[in-house]
Amino acid sequence: MKNNLIRFDWAMKRLLRDKSNYVVLEGFLSTLLGEDLRIVRFLESESNQSDANDKFNRADMLVEDNRGRLLIIEVQNNHELDYFHRMLYGVSKTISEYINLGDDYDKVKKIYSINIVYFELGQGKDYVYHGKTIFRGLHDTNDILQLSIRQREIFVGKDAGDIFPEYYVLRVNDFDKVAKTPLDEWIKFLKTGEIDGTATAKGLPEARERLRVDALPDADKRAYVRDMEALRYQRSVIKTGWYEGRAEGLVEGRAEGRAEGRAEGLAEGEAKGRAEAQAESAKEMERKMKDMAKKMKDAGMPTETIAHFTQLAPEEIAEL
């Protein structure tokens, strides 16, 4: 049945932390990293607690695998201009939190940051990106700095860059192909919520059985439907306000200013017309932003989220 499977981010918060469901997440991670991975335990992450403030915007989890590596998995629904910086911050914070004061540097754990985003992040033609550190020679660009023999005995990896964090970005909305590889099968599920009957990627057969909406207890099923409706409404409000308030308001205002200036026939009149129209446009845009903020506030969205998308001050939002 179409759309009968639970969204992956909702499952991350409610189901995938159950040890009996590790196989689903292990399948996804194994497929993405191209190796057989086993989860040892879940660790505390920013939204392990079911915080209503960001249960619609994002979900994240932190796991440790059987090789002692830490993997941050995050799903982000709404647009964030500084998301790359947040990826960096999240990795840096995790490194510092999981080494004890006074420990040797060799206790720094290998980190993977896996980011599943449902918005246009950066510019590119692909839908899956992998970033890692490479120490390349300046005079011989084919010369990659490697670990010494002794270092290879102590640490995992061949190159010096293997010690450093690695990043994955999955821009799932950009996937528009027929799923031909196991990773494509996972990307299709993340985008559409559907798993083909022929899908064989690790973890997907189990996800097909264990992430069914109709298998949820009644209370969880009602919570899931309520959350999905709230997410849909949030997307609609944000999209409408963003495009109308910012794009149309600014473009139309500037066009009106140019038209008024030309009608006056004088350079100073043209400048004055532009200035007046832009001022009017700014007022109109502010009104639209406040209207959007009021709708978001009525929908129960946190002040931080409203401020991020409307650029209004928290004090202004509180007065709405």
Side-chain angles (χ1 to χ4, degrees):
M1 177 182 174
K2 186 176 181 181
N3 294 330
N4 190 41
L5 295 178
I6 298 165
R7 271 181 62 108
F8 190 71
D9 52 349
W10 201 88
M12 282 172 57
K13 286 181 174 290
R14 299 291 190 102
L15 302 176
L16 297 186
R17 289 183 172 86
D18 188 316
K19 195 165 186 177
S20 64
N21 292 326
Y22 278 13
V23 63
V24 175
L25 189 59
E26 287 173 344
F28 168 65
L29 296 173
S30 296
T31 301
L32 180 63
L33 272 61
E35 60 181 79
D36 191 20
L37 181 146
R38 291 288 177 267
I39 294 173
V40 173
R41 59 175 176 152
F42 280 85
L43 303 169
E44 188 65 21
S45 65
E46 277 189 83
S47 64
N48 270 0
Q49 58 278 6
S50 296
D51 186 351
N53 283 350
D54 42 46
K55 69 179 180 180
F56 303 132
N57 289 344
R58 66 186 179 93
D60 73 309
M61 55 172 49
L62 176 63
V63 303
E64 182 178 10
D65 74 356
N66 54 326
R67 295 169 60 183
R69 303 174 301 183
L70 301 182
L71 299 98
I72 305 168
I73 306 102
E74 179 161 338
V75 178
Q76 176 67 31
N77 288 303
N78 291 334
H79 189 275
E80 286 192 17
L81 289 176
D82 57 357
Y83 188 79
F84 286 123
H85 296 79
R86 203 172 70 145
M87 287 166 51
L88 176 61
Y89 173 77
V91 167
S92 303
K93 185 169 179 279
T94 302
I95 290 174
S96 64
E97 287 182 346
Y98 286 91
I99 184 170
N100 295 321
L101 187 65
D103 279 353
D104 293 340
Y105 293 124
D106 62 3
K107 296 298 189 294
V108 171
K109 291 182 176 290
K110 172 77 174 188
I111 306 284
Y112 289 88
S113 172
I114 298 161
N115 303 271
I116 304 167
V117 298
Y118 288 87
F119 64 93
E120 187 176 348
L121 177 61
Q123 291 183 333
K125 297 179 181 179
D126 209 333
Y127 48 92
V128 180
Y129 291 86
H130 176 215
K132 65 175 297 185
T133 300
I134 297 177
F135 292 89
R136 188 184 302 277
L138 287 179
H139 301 94
D140 180 358
T141 56
N142 293 319
D143 180 24
I144 306 300
L145 185 62
Q146 298 184 339
L147 297 175
S148 68
I149 294 176
R150 178 57 179 156
Q151 286 173 322
R152 292 184 200 180
E153 293 174 354
I154 301 174
F155 312 122
V156 176
K158 174 184 176 183
D159 298 334
D162 292 337
I163 294 174
F164 289 74
E166 297 186 32
Y167 299 85
Y168 287 87
V169 174
L170 285 64
R171 305 193 311 175
V172 295
N173 287 344
D174 290 338
F175 177 76
D176 59 357
K177 305 176 183 296
V178 176
K180 296 181 179 179
T181 68
L183 182 56
D184 282 353
E185 291 177 350
W186 264 104
I187 299 294
K188 180 179 179 180
F189 168 53
L190 294 173
K191 179 178 181 179
T192 67
E194 300 172 30
I195 301 175
D196 293 338
T198 58
T200 58
K202 283 185 177 181
L204 284 184
E206 291 81 3
R208 189 189 296 117
E209 295 301 317
R210 303 182 189 193
L211 301 186
R212 300 198 323 270
V213 175
D214 57 18
L216 288 172
D218 288 342
D220 287 344
K221 189 183 299 183
R222 289 193 295 271
Y224 179 72
V225 171
R226 184 171 60 249
D227 287 351
M228 292 305 101
E229 288 299 328
L231 179 60
R232 191 205 318 253
Y233 177 71
Q234 183 192 56
R235 286 199 305 263
S236 176
V237 169
I238 291 172
K239 186 182 295 184
T240 301
W242 186 266
Y243 286 110
E244 286 187 357
R246 293 199 174 276
E248 293 181 12
L250 287 173
V251 171
E252 290 175 4
R254 288 168 182 163
E256 290 171 5
R258 288 193 293 269
E260 288 180 15
R262 286 194 297 269
E264 291 184 18
L266 295 172
E268 54 267 39
E270 183 178 348
K272 182 180 178 181
R274 284 199 186 102
E276 290 176 350
Q278 287 176 359
E280 185 65 29
S281 173
K283 292 180 181 178
E284 177 66 13
M285 184 177 69
E286 182 180 4
R287 183 188 67 78
K288 290 182 178 180
M289 288 297 100
K290 287 185 176 180
D291 287 345
M292 181 176 75
K294 180 69 164 58
K295 292 178 181 178
M296 295 171 75
K297 184 178 179 181
D298 291 343
M301 299 180 198
T303 299
E304 294 79 6
T305 300
I306 300 173
H308 175 79
F309 284 100
T310 64
Q311 301 302 305
L312 295 177
E315 295 78 12
E316 295 177 281
I317 296 170
E319 294 174 356
L320 296 176

